[in-house]
Amino acid sequence: GTSNIPIRINTNGLSDLINGHPTAPMLDGLVDTVSISLNAPTAEEYLEVTRPCFGAPAFDAMLKFATECKKYVPEVLFTVVDVLAPADIEAAQRLADSLGITLRVRHKI
């Protein structure tokens, strides 16, 4: 049967690169929220902060995954941590807005 428990996935958004194929369609009807760690507002800063094993393509792949998720998942969020400079948080907000995705600023724990 179906459950009333909301399901959220927290992810780095690199599942397409990890799995070698589009993964957002697999979430259709199964997940209520996908929360993606944006980490930084530009590809250059993202690479510096996250050092993904996939290198330069990682940032765009993460953005593409986020955009694709909007087709299959009711709520898609980006998150950044509030240790970023205010200008970077503003840039992250502009990026999120340009993709129609909500940005959540998390407090560093």
Side-chain angles (χ1 to χ4, degrees), residues 9-108:
I9 293 178
N10 297 327
T11 177
N12 63 9
L14 300 181
S15 60
D16 291 357
L17 293 179
I18 292 165
N19 292 287
H21 62 82
T23 52
M26 299 167 67
L27 306 178
D28 193 15
L30 300 176
V31 176
D32 300 291
T33 304
V34 173
S35 178
I36 301 161
S37 300
L38 183 59
N39 288 302
T42 66
E44 186 180 51
E45 289 173 85
Y46 178 86
L47 285 172
E48 195 175 302
V49 171
T50 65
R51 305 210 176 274
C53 64
F54 303 102
F59 186 72
D60 286 340
M62 179 263 299
L63 298 182
K64 182 173 188 256
F65 172 76
T67 303
E68 286 295 300
C69 279
K70 289 176 55 182
K71 299 176 185 174
Y72 304 103
V73 178
E75 185 178 31
V76 180
L77 308 169
F78 281 134
T79 63
V80 293
V81 181
D82 61 4
V83 296
L84 290 182
D88 281 343
I89 291 175
E90 288 170 24
Q93 184 67 65
R94 286 193 300 274
L95 175 60
D97 289 347
S98 75
L99 298 173
I101 294 172
T102 300
L103 178 71
R104 190 170 142 252
V105 181
R106 299 189 297 113
H107 292 294
K108 183 166 183 177

